[in-house]
Amino acid sequence: MTDEIPEIDSVSGSGVPIRGNDIDTDQIIPARFMKVVTFDGLGEFAFFDQRFDENDDQKDHPFNEPQFQDASVMVVNANFGCGSSREHAPQALMRWGIDAIVGESFAEIFAGNCLALGIPTVTADHETITELQDWVEEHPDEEIDVDVGNETVTYGETTIEATVDDAQRRALTEGVWDTTALMKSNADAVAQKAASLPYVDD
């Protein structure tokens, strides 16, 4: 464990419902917005083609609605984040303001890319997710509490049992989810190990 990586036991915030199965990474962040040197500013392009028409006029989408602008917990349906493995997708969502995603299921690579940013991807069954989406639409200002360690999601007077992948749960709650920062914080140990290996040349 390192002081540089926060432990993520829970995430709380208001919700935003994104309905539909098989929402792929091209819908989350269209490819033409990936020609950037850094990920800064990607948030404004999240779901761009679902939010705007060819004249850049707004379409009907939760990310455009004023009541959801401060949301940090996204509630999605099945196979969210499928398609190409672009890491820009969770980067765009994070920079829009999303700190956790609750859904029916996630594409494996997308969930891994979320973990690398410290964004929990928590699952529950279809009926449970639909009820949560309905509640979010009716209570856009109220908080959802995603308890990663205990694998629960609480909203209003309701607490539901959820599932967090075991490896993801351990990485988040033990503060070892950011592998780049983890290697950096252990740079001396890595250098010592490298120096002791006969096949590593200075």
Side-chain angles (χ1 to χ4, degrees):
M1 191 168 62
T2 172
D3 293 335
E4 293 183 35
I5 309 173
E7 297 172 359
I8 300 174
D9 295 307
S10 64
V11 176
S12 296
S14 61
V16 55
I18 304 294
R19 297 182 188 267
N21 297 330
D22 305 314
I23 293 177
D24 62 28
T25 53
D26 190 56
Q27 295 177 62
I28 298 170
I29 181 70
R32 65 186 181 279
F33 298 120
M34 294 166 54
K35 300 172 184 177
V36 291
V37 178
T38 72
F39 295 119
D40 295 341
L42 276 185
E44 65 182 291
F45 303 120
F47 294 114
F48 193 88
D49 290 343
Q50 278 64 51
R51 295 167 58 201
F52 301 97
D53 63 19
E54 61 273 11
N55 298 317
D56 287 342
D57 293 322
Q58 284 194 2
K59 297 195 286 188
D60 184 20
H61 191 277
F63 268 37
N64 288 338
E65 296 178 18
Q67 68 269 32
F68 297 129
Q69 293 308 300
D70 295 325
S72 59
V73 179
M74 193 164 66
V75 188
V76 302
N77 294 110
N79 199 29
F80 187 84
C82 58
S84 67
S85 59
R86 62 188 66 166
E87 59 184 319
H88 298 70
Q91 285 279 357
L93 295 174
M94 179 183 73
R95 291 167 195 281
W96 189 86
I98 298 302
D99 295 327
I101 312 176
V102 182
E104 293 176 47
S105 61
F106 298 92
E108 186 175 352
I109 293 175
F110 175 82
N113 287 336
C114 285
L115 175 59
L117 299 176
I119 300 173
T121 50
V122 181
T123 59
D125 62 63
H126 173 73
E127 183 179 355
T128 298
I129 293 298
T130 301
E131 289 174 355
L132 177 53
Q133 289 174 324
D134 292 344
W135 181 87
V136 169
E137 289 184 343
E138 295 171 5
H139 305 86
D141 296 323
E142 294 192 33
E143 288 205 345
I144 301 168
D145 181 62
V146 180
D147 190 321
V148 177
N150 292 318
E151 297 183 275
T152 60
V153 177
T154 300
Y155 63 97
E157 302 297 319
T158 303
T159 296
I160 59 176
E161 298 294 324
T163 301
V164 183
D165 174 79
D166 285 344
Q168 180 186 126
R169 180 170 47 79
R170 287 195 300 271
L172 290 168
T173 58
E174 294 174 12
V176 293
W177 51 269
D178 188 337
T179 53
T180 301
L182 196 62
M183 286 183 64
K184 184 179 178 182
S185 68
N186 289 285
D188 290 343
V190 172
Q192 287 178 1
K193 183 64 176 179
S196 71
L197 298 174
Y199 51 84
V200 176
D201 192 348
D202 288 340

